[in-house]
Structure formats: structure tokens, C-alpha cells
Amino acid sequence: MTEILAIYPGSFDPITNGHLDLIERGSQLFNHLTVSVLTNLEKEPLFTVQERVEMLQQATAGMRNVSIDTFSGLLVNYALQKKARVILRGIRAFTDYEYELQMALMNRKLEPSLETVFLMPAESYTYVSSRLVKEIFQHGGSVKGLVPPLVEERLHSKVFPKNV
Ligand code: PNS
């Protein structure tokens, strides 16, 4: 059987435990999983691409068949260039479904040879998002258990640089 390479694309600003849970699940399903950070975000990110890549690399250091990469432009073009067969995305709750379905179908229209595979993170992460993590942290709330400890440290030095 041919090996299956899957791409898990996203902003990862920053990686959360929900992302990490999905990466672990994906790494057990596919021969290789490439987690790819979109470099040309429409929204202003908190972390630079380099910082996001470093956090992903550190958080996935123990996973043998996972690598970290970046991409720009159309996801389908990047996936073809990498010879990937699968795009991996997470669905946390019903609210994610409409956006994810639209993207998956559009990507299929652009490139029918690619399949989007959806996985659900553990229930305990269904309410975790990078956006909420940043918001909570910026207002002094605790994000313990929502992101890996290394991300918590990075959030500290990014958001409260004088306290480090
Ligand atoms: O983590 P996000 O921000 O929800 O990830 C969105 C992402 C990066 C998967 C999506 O914006 C994307 O694929 N962008 C690349 C440009 C592209 O191919 N757009 C058409 C998607 S149908």
C-alpha cells in the first residue's frame, strides 16, 4: 500500500492542547503528518511565523512521523507540491462545521484528488481556541491546561515582556 502523507494546515497562533490532541490522533492514522503554518494571514497574528513554528516543533518533538512546515498561497497547490493525499482538519463543535464544510468542498472543487479528513479532539478541548486563549491571557486569566507549558511561557514574554 502507498504511504499516506497528510497536511494539517492552520494559523496556530499559538498552538493549543486541542491542536496537539489532533496532531497526536493524525500521527497515528497517517504515515506522515506535516503541520503547516499559513504565512500570509489576513488577521494580524500575535506570534511571528518563526515563533509559531518553534512552538510547534517543541510541542511535537517526541512525535517521529510529524514535521513542521510553512506555506503561502493556495493550500491545494501546496498539498500537491508536497505529494499529500489528505488535508486534516479538526471539528470541535457544530459551529465549526459550516466553515469547514465550505473549505473542504472548495478545496475538493479546486483539486479533486485531495481528501479532507475531519477528526474530533478530546471533549475536554472542544471549547479551546487560539483566539480565546489569547483573549483570556491578555486579560490576566489562566490558560493552564489549555496550551502546552512552553506556550504559556511564550505568552508571558510576548504579552507581559517587563515581568519576565
Ligand atoms: O487555523 P485556521 O486559521 O482556521 O486555518 C485556515 C487555513 C489556513 C486552513 C485556510 O485559511 C487556508 O487553507 N488558507 C490558505 C489559502 C487557501 O487555500 N484558501 C482557500 C481555502 S478553500
Side-chain angles (χ1 to χ4, degrees), residues 9-12 38 41 43 71 73-76 89 99-100 102-103 106-107 110:
S11 329
F12 304 107
L38 178 68
L41 279 185
K43 45 202 173 191
F71 78 105
L74 277 185
L75 172 62
V76 291
R89 292 286 290 174
Y99 169 61
E100 292 298 334
Q102 195 180 13
M103 269 209 305
M106 187 60 85
N107 283 332
L110 292 170

